[in-house]
Amino acid sequence: MTTDLFDGYAPDDFFDEVFTEDASVRPHYEDLVARLRSFTPTELARRERLRDAAFRSAGITFTVYGEDEGVERTFPMDLLPRIIPAAEWSEIEVGLIQRVTALNRFLDDLYVGERAAVRDGIVPAWLLSSSDGFRREAFGVPVPRGARCLVAGIDLVRDAEGTYRVLEDNVRNPSGISYVLENRAAMTRVLPNLFGSLRVRPVDDYGITLLDALRHVAPAAAGDPTVVLLTPGVHNSAYFEHAFLARQMGVELVEGRDLVVDEHVVYMRTTRGLQRVDVIYRRVDDAFLDPVVFRRDSMLGVPGLLAAARAGNVTLANAVGNGVADDKAVYAYVPDLIRYYLGEEPILPNCTTYLRWDDDQRKAVLDRLDQLVVKPVAESGGYGLCIGPAATDAELAKVAEQIEANPRNYIAQEVVSLSRHPTLVDDHLEGRHVDLRPFVLTGEKTTVIPGGLTRVALRRGSLVVNSSQGGGSKDTWVLRDDDAKVDDGDEVT
Amino acid sequence: MLSRHAEHLFWTGRYVERAADTARMLDVTYHGLLGEPVAEARRGWLDLLDVLHLGRQFADTHQLVDARTVSNFLVVDPTNPGAIVPCVHKARENARSVRELVSTELWESINNFWLELQVRDLARDLDQQPYELYGLVRRRCQEVAGTATETMPHDDGWRFLLLGSMLERAEMTCRLLNVRFAPFTEGEDELGFHQAVHVLKSASASEAFRRAHPAAMTLENVIEFLLMSPTFPRSVLFCLQSAETELLQLDAPGRLSRALRVLGRRRADLEFADVGELLAGDIHAFLDEVQNDVRRAAELVAVQFFRHAEEFAVFHSLETIA
């Protein structure tokens, strides 16, 4: 063999997904690493071109805001998959179901229940009502089965010891599932022989599972419910995903202007007249959903939609007002909410988080800003982050000022030295930080799609994996339970 | 299906057809006028702008009329909504808005077409090898149409796509006849072989015509063929028949919509018309009427399927009746 892809690869001081501390390959990666070693750089470069062509012609793109023209970009997928062994996954899975179950209970309790968690002092009322994601207008809007987070994306990271921790909860409109499915489709086409004897759990039944969950939350009166997906339109950064999911489910992809509310019933305009709609998987943010109650200038919404939902004539998924549960300050209370609602210890720990309205905590934090990550509580997509060790003195001073001015608006977390995964850089491999966003669906019961979206920070040393911040992704393989090896050539997907 | 989706598909069909027709006519005009004296060529290019209904828009650009300026205007000019590149762009935007209804193969053929136009040096193509570019546009449009037929379910969505392209094509062929034959029907000139072939080729009809009329390439024969051939897919009659067939399927059973009445009446008219009589009378007035009917039918389709101006009135009155 002339060159080895892994030559010069150094795990450094980070937890490496593939190599152990003494530089030997972890057992569940042995097969993959052996196969990769048989590829020449030229051959891999050829596969990369194949991948690019496949993604571009399929139009798998996302939109980057704030750049001029040519705003559609393909989402780069690294050719090396991430592998999660069965035993490890089953623990993650149980932890995710536990967490999402508690979040659903919390939201239902808050909006249509007796607000028991507030009454019993688990989480302060002022914290909830001051959250950007809190919606007074959602009081009394029912969701059948209490499935308020029908789709949840829970971001996980692994720390220096390899422990999975929850970085944040996304229970408004988590996106990224289309990349999970497209990445898998691309991998099976571009590098079929990498699968080898590994038995990878399939992900392509997501559309059916999602539709099934949506049908289960239809208003009781709807016999054979009509489900639609509501998108802000082609110019939205996630439009590709909206179209993709509508196609996978075989439901109409509607925009606000396609829907009309009459006497608290929602209809869509079709070529044969008006047709009643029972469930709306809406990918439009709360603020734009209904100009009657939210932003009046919204052209993306449907006047009267929330009233129709309150009347129980239509179900909105995810429910309105979920943002209060993925507020980064409320996040700090989720372990307590799990204990309160389920009487269980949290299986997946949070990252160590400091809240700023506590005077002692704030003082301690202000002294250590250069060692911490500071996040605005209501942002997502990696916007507004300040990573202490990488920030300049001026940036730190500015952040300190912002915290003093509005302590409610920020949290501080210990820097998690995210695990790294070998990633193809030009013709060799380098370690890059990764996280994992599994998708959790709640319909009749709560289930987790095997794996999820592994995001990778493509810039050397970067800890930010968001697609809007120069991140890429990896196909994520969860191995089957039996872990049994099969002969080459057997079906692998 | 959703009204908005139907409308997007309708326009996808129209724009693709318009791009193909424009390329076809540009191709024929460009090669037909090579070597003609300047004044003659100028008239040829003005005629083409007339056929495409873009004469005034071109005049607004205040450019000289010659092969280079008109070709540029009809192919790349972003201010000209009828130019090929903007048409393909709009076809792609429309298809993209109904991405989940369009088969992946169809989307890829439209998207790749668009990407291909993006990477080509179009100025150089127009300058040196327009033939290759026009051929490419024609083939890609055919690929789009063929992929639609072969990979989409032949349901309402596909019907709207087809309806759009048929109405566009009917209007184009009408205008082609109307403008190109004016000098001959008005008795100024005798129709020569080259002019006849020129018009036939603009509708990709020269071989089909020769087989139908091996002996005589007369004005009467050419007009009859392009206007009333029941089998040639670019004749006006054929387009109206296809549009009518699709519309009949799209309509709620039991009552004829206004669009269908307009189209059916005109179709019957053409089916039983006599070309000799038409030529004896004012054939241009007749062609204008046909064109108006096609346009009216398109408007009525929009009112019936895409806009719901009176939906609530209708809806509530139905409720009261029930």
Side-chain angles (χ1 to χ4, degrees), chain A residues 183-445:
Chain A
N183 281 352
R184 179 63 54 80
M187 279 302 276
T188 55
R189 260 179 283 158
V190 175
L191 282 166
N193 34 6
L194 268 197
F195 288 83
S197 56
L198 295 171
R199 298 189 58 195
V200 178
R201 290 180 60 187
V203 292
D204 54 8
D205 55 357
Y206 182 80
I208 301 168
T209 317
L210 176 59
L211 181 59
D212 189 61
L214 289 164
R215 290 172 62 95
H216 268 103
V217 298
D224 180 17
T226 298
V227 177
V228 299
L229 195 160
L230 176 64
T231 174
V234 264
H235 300 294
N236 185 265
S237 64
Y239 179 75
F240 165 76
E241 174 156 309
H242 305 160
F244 179 88
L245 289 175
R247 217 162 55 241
Q248 293 276 320
M249 292 191 283
V251 305
E252 292 288 359
L253 179 63
V254 303
E255 293 179 16
R257 54 190 156 137
D258 297 321
L259 297 180
V260 59
V261 180
D262 185 41
E263 306 271 343
H264 295 166
V265 175
V266 183
Y267 300 90
M268 58 179 162
R269 302 168 206 259
T270 79
T271 53
R272 292 176 201 267
L274 297 176
Q275 186 189 336
R276 186 171 175 149
V277 170
D278 305 296
V279 183
I280 302 177
Y281 178 36
R282 50 96 177 194
R283 298 290 298 259
V284 172
D285 290 346
D286 286 357
F288 296 94
L289 201 53
D290 180 349
V292 175
V293 280
F294 301 120
R295 283 180 60 155
R296 290 212 187 153
D297 58 345
S298 171
M299 304 294 287
L300 307 173
V302 186
L305 193 56
L306 198 64
R310 177 173 286 109
N313 289 331
V314 69
T315 305
L316 301 175
N318 286 353
V320 173
N322 277 7
V324 69
D326 62 21
D327 182 295
K328 290 182 176 64
V330 176
Y331 154 91
Y333 291 87
V334 174
D336 287 339
L337 291 171
I338 293 175
R339 290 183 196 103
Y340 177 72
Y341 286 110
L342 309 178
E344 298 169 4
E345 269 308 299
I347 296 164
L348 294 167
N350 271 11
C351 298
T352 313
T353 303
Y354 305 101
L355 302 170
R356 303 310 187 55
W357 48 88
D358 180 312
D359 276 343
D360 293 341
Q361 282 193 28
R362 181 163 77 244
K363 293 259 158 51
V365 159
L366 285 173
D367 291 341
R368 293 180 54 230
L369 274 185
D370 56 339
Q371 301 156 35
L372 299 169
V373 180
V374 176
K375 296 175 175 175
V377 292
E379 295 286 346
S380 62
Y383 292 100
L385 273 187
C386 171
I387 298 172
T392 62
D393 286 349
E395 283 166 346
L396 290 176
K398 194 173 156 226
V399 167
E401 212 172 279
Q402 287 168 337
I403 294 172
E404 284 293 0
N406 192 351
R408 165 68 180 86
N409 236 4
Y410 297 89
I411 57 159
Q413 290 179 328
E414 296 291 345
V415 175
V416 181
S417 59
L418 264 56
S419 62
R420 295 206 313 192
H421 195 293
T423 298
L424 207 55
V425 178
D426 301 325
D427 60 348
H428 62 286
L429 295 169
E430 287 183 20
R432 287 290 184 267
H433 294 291
V434 293
D435 80 345
L436 177 65
R437 174 180 288 184
F439 290 86
V440 187
L441 294 179
T442 304
E444 192 181 9
K445 55 186 184 2

Side-chain angles (χ1 to χ4, degrees), chain B residues 65-117:
Chain B
V65 178
D66 62 29
R68 198 182 55 80
T69 55
V70 178
S71 304
N72 189 65
F73 178 72
L74 292 179
V75 175
V76 290
D77 193 336
T79 65
N80 173 13
I84 292 175
V85 175
C87 270
V88 176
H89 176 66
K90 272 184 278 186
R92 176 181 183 264
E93 286 296 294
N94 274 286
R96 191 164 173 250
S97 309
V98 282
R99 179 63 191 85
E100 77 288 356
L101 287 186
V102 167
S103 69
T104 298
E105 283 172 64
L106 177 56
W107 164 247
E108 286 183 358
S109 79
I110 296 177
N111 192 34
N112 284 338
F113 182 16
W114 166 244
L115 293 173
E116 211 173 342
L117 289 177

